[in-house]
Amino acid sequence: MCVFCKIVNGEIPAKVVYEDDKVMAFHDINPQAPVHILVIPKEHIPTVNDLEEKHKELIGHIFMVIKEIAKEMGIAESGYRVLVNCNRDGGQEIYHLHFHLLGGAPLGPMVCR
Ligand code: AMP
Ligand code: ZN
């Protein structure tokens, strides 16, 4: 079972900021910004490449959750970045779909190479 599935089923602890029947959000263990939250579907979807028609509502819901968390974290007005890495060139490390919500300071250029 993957690390994020273990967080979903409670085997690994996480600092959870939001949870419902389909989605979970928790603080990244190695934050890259003052606010760094990961928003994940509870369903194990490995990458963006694995999304199907049936996931359309779920992905829309995830963005509504991101919007609410940004507001709660106080970064809605100052701004933030939502980021999804896919596969090797995207730098994906955990193969369970997740949306990074980053903010709390100017984030610099969109892509560092
Ligand atoms: P990615 O490179 O997009 O796959 O990002 C994976 C992210 O998961 C990294 O930012 C890690 O710091 C984070 N991460 C890994 N393990 C955990 C964990 N147990 N709890 C919270 N965040 C984690
Ligand atoms: Zn998983």
Side-chain angles (χ1 to χ4, degrees), residues 1-6 8 40-46 94-97:
M1 192 184 285
C2 92
V3 176
F4 289 173
C5 281
K6 284 183 180 166
V8 168
I40 70 167
K42 287 189 167 177
E43 180 185 344
H44 180 84
I45 302 167
I94 305 231
Y95 282 78
H96 180 131
L97 184 65

Side-chain angles (χ1 to χ4, degrees), residues 18-34:
Y18 177 85
E19 181 172 10
D20 63 30
D21 57 330
K22 298 206 160 37
V23 171
M24 205 163 172
F26 48 87
H27 288 273
D28 195 292
I29 205 167
N30 182 24
Q32 303 297 309

